[in-house]
Amino acid sequence: MRVTFLGTGAAGGVPLYGCRCPACERARTQPEAIRRPCCALIETATTRILLDAGLMDLDHRFPSGSLDAIALTHFHPDHVQGLFHLRWGVGASIQVWGPPDTEGCADLYRNPGLLNFKTVEKFTGFQVGDCFVTPLPLIHSKPTVGYAIEGSDGCRFAYLTDTLGLPPKTEAWLRRWGKYDLAIDCSFPPGGIPKNHNDWTAALEIIERVQPAHAWLTHIGHTFDAWRLSDESQVPPMGVSIASDGETVELGTGNE
Amino acid sequence: MRVTFLGTGAAGGVPLYGCRCPACERARTQPEAIRRPCCALIETATTRILLDAGLMDLDHRFPSGSLDAIALTHFHPDHVQGLFHLRWGVGASIQVWGPPDTEGCADLYRNPGLLNFKTVEKFTGFQVGDCFVTPLPLIHSKPTVGYAIEGSDGCRFAYLTDTLGLPPKTEAWLRRWGKYDLAIDCSFPPGGIPKNHNDWTAALEIIERVQPAHAWLTHIGHTFDAWRLSDESQVPPMGVSIASDGETVELGTGNE
């Protein structure tokens, strides 16, 4: 099983419109430093699941029939906006799993087109191809779930964004899950009062408590990148990486 | 005064996701045949107004401070989605005019960021730079207005999308306006039962009734382009053009 971090940015992305901070200026000259809207791809030998749909070029990346499902963490625009034109397409319908949220986003429910919306039930897993996917409640400003995904080869990956902290039951579930890799919301640098999203301190505390084999920080804002540029001594602890757009990772295999 | 048709596509764009029709296949190999989400730029010597905001790369096209205002015809995603990340930017706020619509789109009203939303009143003009802009009610599935724009040089341009037909008062207003150029919704080929948007027949009937100096058809769907490809004898009457993405037109000057 492997994951590709297609977009690792917070809502405004990096560079942020109008911002002249060192991180935004760097992203304007170094394309590899750009952070696009939140989106990741999980692939096994037989199955492709898109986690979130914030990218606007999904039609180019994923021709009709090439995705087994889309799993949305929540219905904020930066996580679903790629669906607005995709839905009007023709051909095979696409399963789109999402949290219980009667509002959805804009008119997606009213005009679903080829999207087949399905509502998850917390901690109740479902099968997509050879992957078993379990929705885990998170703590955000709109109903939000992360996804814990287990491939038929025993490989395990949890994708937890957007969130500030973890509900105790989600934390307990992860602590019982055995060996797995993790991607987690880390929007802000330390030192402020984080709102709706983890900062560096909150993300590392979660990682310490739920003990993944390896963790990647994602949903990163420009202030986080600017903080890292300003102080190169700030490196993540062993077993923690900062995800980049386009990065593909072969996930650890086996359990325990 | 000049207009640039930045995006001339209907909601799904051309090519449409998964579609193998001749128009969609052509757009995949000929970039000049692509139709992006609806968006146009009005420029005078001193003023720049963006009409609709469906493009997702507005941050690249319009650096902070380069737009005097954005005027939204309505709050469907393909006309506003470019604002979702722009709003989180820093720097000068942007005036965004739109129709009376308490719903807006997704959380744009709740989290406007640097967008300064203003609600228009039908037939009540307002000044943006050296342009006088009058909102004209249209007939669509959500509250919608077109915009009639007059530059200080007397140049006049009306942008009427999305609509199926015209309300009698809008038609009467245009008939009294003198000499002007026009862009109008023409989503579908003739022969069906048009819904929420003009087809070829309805668009040409409106043009015949309101007698612009020149008219451009816009908000074009793939079935319209496919129909034109299938029958090259179908050409617009004198004084009517089919707009293309990226096309810039110097508008007629003077009045009467």
Side-chain angles (χ1 to χ4, degrees), chain B residues 158-179:
Chain B
Y159 177 80
L160 307 183
T161 191
D162 295 356
T163 198
L164 171 52
L166 287 185
K169 286 186 181 171
T170 293
E171 182 177 326
W173 193 98
L174 287 166
R175 290 170 63 97
R176 286 193 306 266
W177 202 31
K179 186 178 171 196

Side-chain angles (χ1 to χ4, degrees), chain B residues 160-218:
Chain B
L160 307 183
T161 191
D162 295 356
T163 198
L164 171 52
L166 287 185
K169 286 186 181 171
T170 293
E171 182 177 326
W173 193 98
L174 287 166
R175 290 170 63 97
R176 286 193 306 266
W177 202 31
K179 186 178 171 196
Y180 67 97
D181 293 320
L182 172 71
I184 191 152
D185 180 334
C186 180
S187 298
F188 307 120
I193 298 171
K195 194 180 165 200
N196 301 329
H197 297 278
N198 293 323
D199 65 0
W200 168 263
T201 309
L204 294 187
E205 277 176 9
I206 290 170
I207 292 166
E208 183 62 28
R209 287 201 303 273
V210 300
Q211 290 287 319
H214 197 94
W216 288 267
L217 308 182
T218 189

Side-chain angles (χ1 to χ4, degrees), chain A:
Chain A
M1 190 157 82
R2 61 182 186 165
V3 60
T4 301
F5 295 101
L6 300 173
T8 62
V14 182
L16 192 74
Y17 183 64
C19 182
R20 316 301 292 181
C21 82
C24 290
E25 293 289 38
R26 177 182 62 169
R28 287 189 186 97
T29 57
Q30 298 177 26
E32 65 276 17
I34 292 174
R35 295 193 185 276
R36 295 176 185 79
C38 220
C39 204
L41 178 69
I42 294 291
E43 292 173 286
T44 68
T46 61
T47 303
R48 298 176 99 199
I49 304 172
L50 190 68
L51 298 169
D52 283 329
L55 294 174
M56 294 305 289
D57 59 353
L58 297 178
D59 49 344
H60 290 286
R61 293 176 186 257
F62 302 109
S64 182
S66 66
L67 287 174
D68 294 279
I70 297 173
L72 304 175
T73 59
H74 63 300
F75 283 90
H76 274 151
D78 59 312
H79 292 252
V80 307
Q81 60 198 3
L83 303 179
F84 286 135
H85 67 284
L86 210 67
R87 63 179 155 165
W88 301 118
V90 297
S93 74
I94 304 174
Q95 271 183 43
V96 182
W97 296 88
D101 182 344
T102 52
E103 199 178 39
C105 185
D107 60 346
L108 280 177
Y109 286 159
R110 201 180 315 150
N111 299 308
L114 55 67
L115 307 176
N116 179 13
F117 283 105
K118 291 165 174 277
T119 301
V120 305
E121 194 176 325
K122 58 187 180 182
F123 301 114
T124 302
F126 53 91
Q127 197 76 32
V128 177
D130 71 344
C131 293
F132 190 72
V133 182
T134 305
L136 306 178
L138 299 178
I139 303 170
H140 193 49
S141 54
K142 206 165 162 61
T144 302
V145 292
Y147 291 99
I149 299 159
E150 180 166 1
S152 57
D153 59 359
C155 216
R156 293 172 175 172
F157 177 69
Y159 178 79
L160 306 183
T161 190
D162 295 358
T163 197
L164 171 53
L166 288 185
K169 285 185 182 172
T170 292
E171 182 177 326
W173 193 98
L174 286 166
R175 289 170 63 99
R176 285 193 307 266
W177 202 30
K179 186 176 172 196
Y180 67 97
D181 293 320
L182 171 71
I184 190 152
D185 180 334
C186 180
S187 297
F188 307 121
I193 299 172
K195 194 180 164 199
N196 301 328
H197 297 278
N198 293 323
D199 65 1
W200 168 263
T201 309
L204 294 187
E205 278 176 8
I206 291 171
I207 291 166
E208 182 62 28
R209 288 202 301 274
V210 301
Q211 290 287 322
H214 196 93
W216 287 266
L217 308 182
T218 189
H219 204 274
I220 289 166
H222 71 134
T223 57
F224 180 92
D225 280 343
W227 169 68
R228 291 252 307 148
L229 278 173
S230 72
D231 184 354
E232 292 184 356
S233 70
Q234 301 292 350
V235 292
M238 277 283 285
V240 179
S241 306
I242 297 168
S244 300
D245 279 28
E247 183 182 0
T248 296
V249 179
E250 294 290 339
L251 297 165
T253 53
N255 176 32
E256 297 296 337

